Amino acid sequence: MENKFIGSQIEREFLKSFLDKISLFPGEIPSFTQIFHQGSIIAESINRVESEKNSLLHSEILAITETQKAIGSKYLDKCELFTVIEPCLMCAGSIIKARIKKVHYFLSSEKQSGISSISVENIYSQNSFPELTLSKNSEFRNIVKTFFKDKR
């Protein structure tokens, strides 16, 4: 599951976009998602949970919705999703239902409640399940840890 994206151009550009976006929403959970369709960014979003007081507005859900509108399909099987934090189970369900083929993330869920925690039995019962890639990055980790430390 570890990956070749560490230090890559994609990761550097993702980090830059992430830093630009979180500076616009200082009280928001620092989660950022980009979706690529056939090699180009088609959607990106930051969490809006805190700013909108809505627990459904995770960055993954917002980016999936934007992508589905842009390509005019509920199926995103030609898409790859990049996100800071491992998608939670709610987002995992949306990713699976949208049939996104690859999910790349930079921080794993510390509570074992993310997409990688879905049991093998549940994975095989789905019509599709994305390839998962974890690229550990200390910069993302430090930003997220600092946010939650300051919040508490």
Side-chain angles (χ1 to χ4, degrees), residues 31-43:
S31 180
F32 174 68
T33 299
Q34 288 182 331
I35 296 180
F36 287 76
H37 179 256
Q38 299 176 335
S40 298
I41 296 173
I42 193 164

Side-chain angles (χ1 to χ4, degrees), residues 9-138:
Q9 183 67 25
I10 293 170
E11 184 175 338
R12 286 190 297 277
E13 289 174 14
F14 183 86
L15 178 61
K16 182 186 179 316
S17 294
F18 169 60
L19 294 172
D20 290 345
K21 296 293 182 199
I22 64 167
S23 68
L24 299 174
F25 297 92
E28 193 58 71
I29 296 167
S31 180
F32 174 68
T33 299
Q34 288 182 331
I35 296 180
F36 287 76
H37 179 256
Q38 299 176 335
S40 298
I41 296 173
I42 193 164
E44 65 180 22
S45 185
I46 189 109
N47 260 24
R48 301 306 277 274
V49 171
E50 301 298 324
S51 59
E52 300 289 329
K53 306 287 187 255
N54 185 331
S55 60
L56 301 175
L57 300 181
H58 291 204
S59 62
E60 298 93 337
I61 301 291
L62 295 168
I64 288 168
T65 302
E66 187 179 328
T67 302
Q68 289 171 327
K69 286 179 185 174
I71 66 172
S73 176
K74 66 181 181 179
Y75 297 122
L76 307 179
D77 53 340
K78 293 183 173 83
C79 294
E80 293 186 43
L81 183 146
F82 286 77
T83 194
V84 174
I85 303 169
E86 178 179 353
C88 71
L89 294 176
M90 177 183 72
C91 294
S94 296
I95 289 165
I96 291 166
K97 293 296 184 189
R99 298 185 182 171
I100 293 173
K101 69 177 185 173
K102 291 183 181 179
V103 174
H104 309 276
Y105 56 97
F106 299 93
L107 293 168
S108 58
S109 172
E110 291 182 5
K111 296 178 181 176
Q112 305 299 313
S113 60
I115 193 168
S116 67
S117 69
I118 296 175
S119 72
V120 174
E121 294 81 17
N122 284 338
I123 291 170
Y124 287 125
S125 71
Q126 304 302 311
N127 288 332
S128 69
F129 193 81
E131 176 185 324
L132 303 177
T133 304
L134 169 62
S135 296
K136 293 183 180 179
N137 178 303
S138 61

